[in-house]
Amino acid sequence: MGFLDYLSEPSNRSVLYEQAIEHVALTAAAVAIAIVVGMVLGIVAHRNAVLRPPIVNTTATLLTVPSLALFALLIPVVGIGFKPALIALAMYALLPIVRNTVSGLGSVDPAVTESARGMGLNARQRLLRIELPNAWPVILTGIRVATQLTVGIAAIAALVGGPGLGREIFRGIRSIGSPFALDSLLGGTLGIIVVAILFDLLYTGIGRLTTSRGIR
Amino acid sequence: MTDVMIELQELTKVYPGTTSPAVDHISLQVPRGEILVLVGPSGCGKTTTMKMINRLIEPTSGEIILDGENVTHMDPNQLRRRIGYVIQQIGLFPHLTIADNIATVPKLLGWDKDRIRARIDELLDTVGLDPDTYRDRYPKELSGGQRQRVGVARAMSADPDVMLMDEPFGAIDPITRTRLQNEFLRVQRDIQKTIVFVTHDIDEAIKMGDRIAILNEGSRIAQFATPEEILTAPANDFVSDFVGAGASLKRLNLSRVRDIAIRTDAPTATADEPAGAIRERLLGSDWTAVLRLDADGRPQRWLRAPDLRREDIDLSRAGLPAVAMVEPQATLSDALNEMLVGSAGVAIIVDGRGRYQGVVDIDTIITSIKRMVDENADYYRLAKLGDIDGRETVGA
Ligand SMILES: Nc1ncnc2c1ncn2[C@@H]1O[C@H](COP(=O)(O)OP(=O)(O)OP(=O)(O)O)[C@@H](O)[C@H]1O
Ligand SMILES: [Mg+2]
């Protein structure tokens, strides 16, 4: 009964709501940075066989650094708060986007690129009009995975003074033993699940709208 | 304007990391409006030679002259927009509709919307696809043969003077291939493009080429001649081996249905005629069956006298279906094949829209074969005499 009481308390609800908005904003900002950087890196890696291994390996290595450590490592560099959280999350989100951009572009039928070349499309036109649209479903899957990853890891951001639902979770952790600790933990966690589901629905919609019927 | 549309001068390609050239100093000319077929065994350098013309492969040395202009060093993308390109795997853009696939180059060239739309419909019509049905489809919603037609339409979109086709019908079943070849020849009669056509199938080369270059290793020209000459006067053993047995039978591929006597005296009936009137016409002719056409003039059924005895019979189902239909540009080999497949004694000649033009019977084709055999016999007799003469000269 305790958790329902917690949820029905307007002040708790508005905290959760506010933190959920922060969480979404933090995730969206981190993923947006990761999309831009990740797709550029992915395109470079696709085009340049020499740069491909260092790019893919570096982004893969980033993902293996424990999140807590990465957040902490950034504090001396950029201080505490929104910034270190954003930078660390963007780094985590990079790998799925880079990897899927490379594999998406790599899976475009060579006959398609050859005929595009044979028709006189230059490298930029081929990339924008032919290769990216065909690789898009794979890239979008990478972005989706990156987003789910970010939504989860963003909870840790509260430890370095970052925003989001992690704050409610850590309030619960700090007050463990008190009667309300579990409510806060549950509230924050549930909020994260809801945010994750909403993002997923959004991606399903985006996927529908932005993927050509010809390659669905 | 020159009469030579494509000229290759000493064109050579040595791939990086290899020592022997894939293409070794090839020089040739293609007259405006002609189809040149490059044919030869696998790996002899056909594709490499062709791709140097639109510089998808940069030549190691040599010159490419297009319509009098040296294009060896011009911007390759500008060059390619002037050259239609068709490959065996087609490479339609899967994420674009058929219309958008065809519109690619016209858009690059900045044509206005109305002109592009009109061009798409015109081209779909040309390659035998109904624009209203196919315009908005995606490549995956087409059969292999239909995709290849779209590939050809796309290559023609900006009305290039030159087209390069690398085994364009190579991956298609034999029946559809024959049909596409015939349709393409019909289209070519109107558009008169200058075409370099690559194949490794000598029969296709004989059928499609105005001129044939038989290539040996390193793209060295073993013989450059008309199909007729290649069949009757192979320049060397390599060519005769490549042409293979049955050279005279292959000459059936040289003669088109339109070149032999088409009979137009077969009795026909229109869709709205009653059985009685048709029967009278049939009995008044020396034919055993009358060909009933549908409302659009397309052959529908063969009707014999017994089929026409009753007035209330449904004539669109009576008799036998009209089979073995070929277009005038089909070869005698195609026509004969259709007759054998359809077990019919005649092939029906139809135009591009399937409308009845006449018939050709098996006797006419056999007469043509006989004439060829006789000519061949003459040729070999003469060749032998020539050979004897030659030996005498050497000995003297
Ligand atoms: N990119 C490349 N690098 C090195 N060698 C190549 C390359 N492309 C082709 N070759 C070689 O050049 C020669 C000619 O190849 P090409 O593709 O032009 O032959 P082809 O006549 O078109 O053969 P096919 O009938 O099998 O298509 C072959 O020996 C081939 O192995
Ligand atoms: Mg080839």
Side-chain angles (χ1 to χ4, degrees):
Chain A
M1 239 12 239
F3 185 58
L4 286 185
D5 290 341
Y6 163 88
L7 274 188
S8 57
E9 169 64 43
S11 70
N12 287 338
R13 280 222 306 267
S14 74
V15 164
L16 281 178
Y17 180 70
E18 202 175 288
Q19 292 185 0
I21 299 285
E22 288 172 8
H23 208 100
V24 168
L26 178 62
T27 304
V31 170
I33 294 171
I35 289 174
V36 174
V37 178
M39 281 183 63
V40 169
L41 287 177
I43 290 165
V44 171
H46 168 72
R47 289 261 157 118
N48 190 323
V50 178
L51 291 177
R52 193 173 312 144
I55 290 176
V56 176
N57 293 340
T58 311
T59 50
T61 311
L62 279 179
L63 200 62
T64 64
V65 179
S67 46
L68 205 55
L70 187 58
F71 282 117
L73 280 172
L74 284 170
I75 293 177
V77 188
V78 288
I80 61 164
F82 183 77
K83 248 204 217 159
L86 181 65
I87 295 173
L89 289 177
M91 284 163 110
Y92 282 121
L94 225 44
L95 175 68
I97 297 175
V98 170
R99 205 183 39 199
N100 281 33
T101 304
V102 173
S103 68
L105 290 173
S107 67
V108 177
D109 181 356
V112 167
T113 22
E114 186 187 324
S115 67
R117 238 156 60 83
M119 291 161 80
L121 276 75
N122 62 33
R124 194 177 49 83
Q125 291 163 333
R126 287 201 303 274
L127 181 69
L128 295 179
R129 300 186 193 194
I130 310 297
E131 296 175 307
L132 282 177
N134 277 297
W136 181 241
V138 179
I139 298 175
L140 191 64
T141 304
I143 296 175
R144 188 175 190 152
V145 170
T147 308
Q148 300 299 5
L149 204 68
T150 309
V151 169
I153 299 177
I156 317 278
L159 267 188
V160 293
L165 287 158
R167 283 163 51 194
E168 187 64 7
I169 293 175
F170 281 107
R171 188 165 74 120
I173 291 175
R174 271 195 307 272
S175 55
I176 277 225
S178 83
F180 309 112
L182 198 61
D183 292 340
S184 294
L185 273 173
L186 269 178
T189 309
L190 206 66
I192 286 176
I193 291 171
V194 170
V195 167
I197 290 172
L198 289 180
F199 266 118
D200 227 44
L201 287 176
L202 178 71
Y203 280 119
T204 306
I206 291 178
R208 266 237 183 106
L209 289 177
T210 57
T211 307
S212 154
R213 192 157 62 77
I215 51 176
R216 232 177 271 153
Chain B
M1 290 270 274
T2 51
D3 279 323
V4 177
M5 188 68 199
I6 305 171
E7 178 170 8
L8 309 185
Q9 297 175 349
E10 302 285 318
L11 208 56
T12 298
K13 178 68 189 183
V14 185
Y15 283 107
T18 64
T19 46
S20 59
V23 174
D24 193 6
H25 294 90
I26 190 173
S27 299
L28 56 80
Q29 298 187 336
V30 191
R32 184 184 301 279
E34 283 198 1
I35 301 183
L36 168 67
V37 179
L38 304 180
V39 64
S42 183
C44 69
K46 306 179 290 291
T47 298
T48 307
T49 304
M50 196 195 81
K51 282 191 184 173
M52 283 194 282
I53 299 174
N54 65 357
R55 310 241 318 277
L56 280 175
I57 293 174
E58 288 290 353
T60 310
S61 65
E63 307 290 322
I64 307 148
I65 319 288
L66 213 69
D67 205 4
E69 182 193 351
N70 190 325
V71 298
T72 322
H73 304 287
M74 81 174 277
D75 172 37
N77 289 317
Q78 296 295 336
L79 173 66
R80 289 172 199 153
R81 289 171 201 177
R82 287 166 42 188
I83 300 177
Y85 185 53
V86 186
I87 52 179
Q88 179 177 340
Q89 310 86 326
I90 318 173
L92 291 185
F93 305 140
H95 63 299
L96 297 180
T97 60
I98 299 313
D100 286 336
N101 263 281
I102 296 175
T104 308
V105 176
K107 274 184 190 159
L108 287 178
L109 297 174
W111 290 19
D112 67 55
K113 275 209 172 86
D114 291 337
R115 183 170 171 212
I116 293 178
R117 196 169 319 138
R119 182 70 182 151
I120 290 166
D121 287 3
E122 182 191 347
L123 281 169
L124 284 175
D125 236 6
T126 306
V127 299
L129 294 173
D130 174 38
D132 289 331
T133 313
Y134 292 101
R135 195 189 289 127
D136 296 322
R137 288 214 191 165
Y138 285 90
K140 69 170 182 188
E141 297 163 337
L142 264 50
S143 73
Q146 290 168 338
R147 274 182 222 160
Q148 198 50 272
R149 287 163 206 245
V150 175
V152 171
R154 184 176 67 169
M156 297 194 300
S157 60
D159 206 9
D161 294 325
V162 171
M163 305 239 298
L164 306 178
M165 309 177 85
D166 194 348
E167 309 207 19
F169 310 129
I172 293 172
D173 68 88
I175 293 176
T176 312
R177 184 189 312 145
T178 305
R179 191 176 315 144
L180 288 181
Q181 287 168 339
N182 292 339
E183 283 176 8
F184 187 75
L185 287 172
R186 168 164 51 83
V187 171
Q188 166 66 359
R189 262 160 77 91
D190 298 334
I191 59 177
Q192 299 277 311
K193 302 285 182 204
T194 309
I195 296 168
V196 176
F197 189 109
V198 165
T199 179
H200 57 247
D201 174 1
I202 184 69
D203 293 309
E204 183 170 61
I206 289 164
K207 179 167 182 182
M208 302 304 286
D210 294 309
R211 255 165 254 266
I212 298 176
I214 298 193
L215 303 179
N216 205 338
E217 188 104 337
S219 218
R220 274 175 280 259
I221 297 176
Q223 186 167 10
F224 188 99
T226 62
E228 183 84 356
E229 283 174 82
I230 290 209
L231 288 178
T232 53
N236 49 46
D237 287 351
F238 176 77
V239 173
S240 32
D241 281 352
F242 193 77
V243 171
S248 67
L249 211 56
K250 285 194 171 68
R251 294 181 66 196
L252 279 179
N253 271 322
L254 285 175
S255 317
R256 315 265 166 201
V257 167
R258 60 168 181 261
D259 301 330
I260 63 171
I262 292 181
R263 294 185 64 170
T264 50
D265 61 339
T268 61
T270 57
D272 51 9
E273 281 180 291
I278 301 176
R279 187 157 190 265
E280 238 158 75
R281 179 165 328 132
L282 174 59
L283 295 178
S285 75
D286 54 3
W287 287 67
T288 53
V290 60
L291 184 61
R292 183 173 190 267
L293 311 177
D294 70 8
D296 295 323
R298 290 184 296 233
Q300 191 189 46
R301 311 290 292 188
W302 283 110
L303 305 171
R304 285 158 308 164
D307 303 323
L308 296 162
R309 238 178 323 221
R310 286 173 44 198
E311 276 297 335
D312 58 346
I313 198 160
D314 178 3
L315 289 178
S316 68
R317 288 151 173 272
L320 291 169
V323 290
M325 288 191 252
V326 294
E327 294 186 23
Q329 66 279 1
T331 63
L332 294 192
S333 169
D334 295 337
L336 195 58
N337 205 39
E338 285 289 328
M339 286 183 207
L340 296 178
V341 170
S343 310
V346 297
I348 304 169
I349 319 296
V350 293
D351 68 8
R353 304 223 164 271
R355 288 175 303 225
Y356 174 75
Q357 305 289 305
V359 299
V360 52
D361 57 20
I362 206 156
D363 293 339
T364 316
I365 293 184
I366 286 172
T367 309
S368 302
I369 295 176
K370 204 167 165 331
R371 202 173 54 232
M372 280 178 204
V373 171
D374 291 346
E375 280 170 15
N376 262 15
D378 284 349
Y379 165 75
Y380 283 117
R381 212 174 45 240
L382 288 174
K384 217 166 176 185
L385 289 175
D387 204 28
I388 292 164
D389 286 344
R391 231 177 285 147
E392 276 173 0
T393 323
V394 172

